Amino acid sequence: MSRAVEDLQCKNLKIIVDKDGFSYGRDAVLLANFVRAKSGERALDMGTGTGILAILVNGKTGARITAVEIQQEAAALAAESARLNGQDNIEVLAGDVRELHKSLGYALFDLAVCNPPYYTGGTASPDPHKRQCTHQQTLTLAEAAQSASRLLKNGGRFYLCYPAEGFAALCAALIQSGIQPKRVQLAYGGNRPYLVLVEGKKGGKEGLLFEPPIFD
């Protein structure tokens, strides 16, 4: 493991990454900026990786975070980063978010965030850790939505990012799980959107707000 400590340039927060495997991308930073949360709210980070979303959302809002990661090595890095930042209200669990309701129960969280694996096909990395982060092998889009629906309180918010071309599939997965898309923001690279950020509401009514796009 080739470890590095990176400055997140936000409130003096830092993160420990594995340059050979466990890191994060621009999409996670954009999603953290998109999240709306209040101090003391209980939030779930589904598939935290090295903890980038948990660290930034907690640092920006003061929400209490339960961060879940199926890969134990990545979960250990996330927990170490939280300790490095003195973020005592981030709890990191090594486990499968699809099974979390069996140990914690239902309808516990005010909000959930997820930067899910994007790809269902195509060429995958030979590295099993990287492959699990990018391809929907251990968490599909439908499973992410179903898990959020189980774990969110009624009226709870679910924040995701996804490739822009998959916007329809994302909305379909949310609606099928009882989560209504309520707020959308597109991120552009050049003249084309490459990423969509979505806020859904469990048990919400129809009505979608498009926010001004982001131009990288």
Side-chain angles (χ1 to χ4, degrees):
M1 182 184 292
S2 176
R3 291 162 52 105
V5 178
E6 296 185 357
D7 187 346
L8 293 175
Q9 300 182 5
C10 174
K11 299 182 179 292
N12 201 34
L13 295 170
K14 296 177 174 59
I15 188 168
I16 303 167
V17 298
D18 174 9
K19 289 294 188 179
D20 297 326
F22 306 116
S23 189
Y24 61 93
R26 171 74 171 156
D27 51 356
V29 176
L30 292 176
L31 180 57
N33 291 335
F34 182 73
V35 171
R36 292 177 177 173
K38 297 177 182 178
S39 178
E41 283 193 310
R42 191 172 182 188
L44 173 67
D45 181 6
M46 301 169 56
T48 194
T50 50
I52 181 67
L53 279 170
I55 290 166
L56 286 176
V57 172
N58 173 263
K60 289 172 178 287
T61 71
R64 296 176 295 140
I65 313 284
T66 299
V68 183
E69 172 53 45
I70 198 168
Q71 298 190 47
Q72 292 192 1
E73 298 93 336
L77 286 180
E80 190 175 350
S81 292
R83 290 193 296 270
L84 177 66
N85 293 317
Q87 293 174 297
D88 297 334
N89 48 2
I90 295 178
E91 177 187 20
V92 180
L93 303 178
D96 190 335
V97 72
R98 297 171 298 185
E99 304 295 323
L100 196 60
H101 63 286
K102 296 179 181 179
S103 57
L104 295 186
Y106 293 79
L108 299 173
F109 295 94
D110 300 296
L111 66 144
V113 299
C114 184
N115 182 1
Y118 292 160
Y119 304 113
T120 57
T123 303
S125 170
D127 184 315
H129 299 301
K130 291 183 179 180
R131 187 167 61 246
Q132 207 167 43
C133 293
T134 58
H135 284 68
Q136 295 183 24
Q137 295 183 333
T138 55
L139 185 67
T140 66
L141 190 56
E143 288 170 339
Q146 291 161 5
S147 297
S149 186
R150 294 188 190 105
L151 294 161
L152 284 170
K153 300 175 182 177
N154 193 47
R157 294 104 61 204
F158 189 26
Y159 298 90
L160 305 93
C161 58
Y162 206 66
E165 62 266 26
F167 179 51
L170 173 57
C171 288
L174 292 175
I175 292 169
Q176 190 171 9
S177 297
I179 300 172
Q180 188 67 39
K182 299 295 292 180
R183 181 170 148 251
V184 174
Q185 188 173 36
L186 290 168
Y188 279 75
N191 295 322
R192 300 184 63 181
Y194 70 93
L195 189 74
V196 62
L197 307 166
V198 176
E199 175 187 336
K201 183 176 182 179
K202 181 180 176 181
K205 297 180 181 180
E206 291 185 358
L208 191 59
L209 172 66
F210 281 85
E211 295 201 343
I214 301 163
F215 292 94
D216 280 352

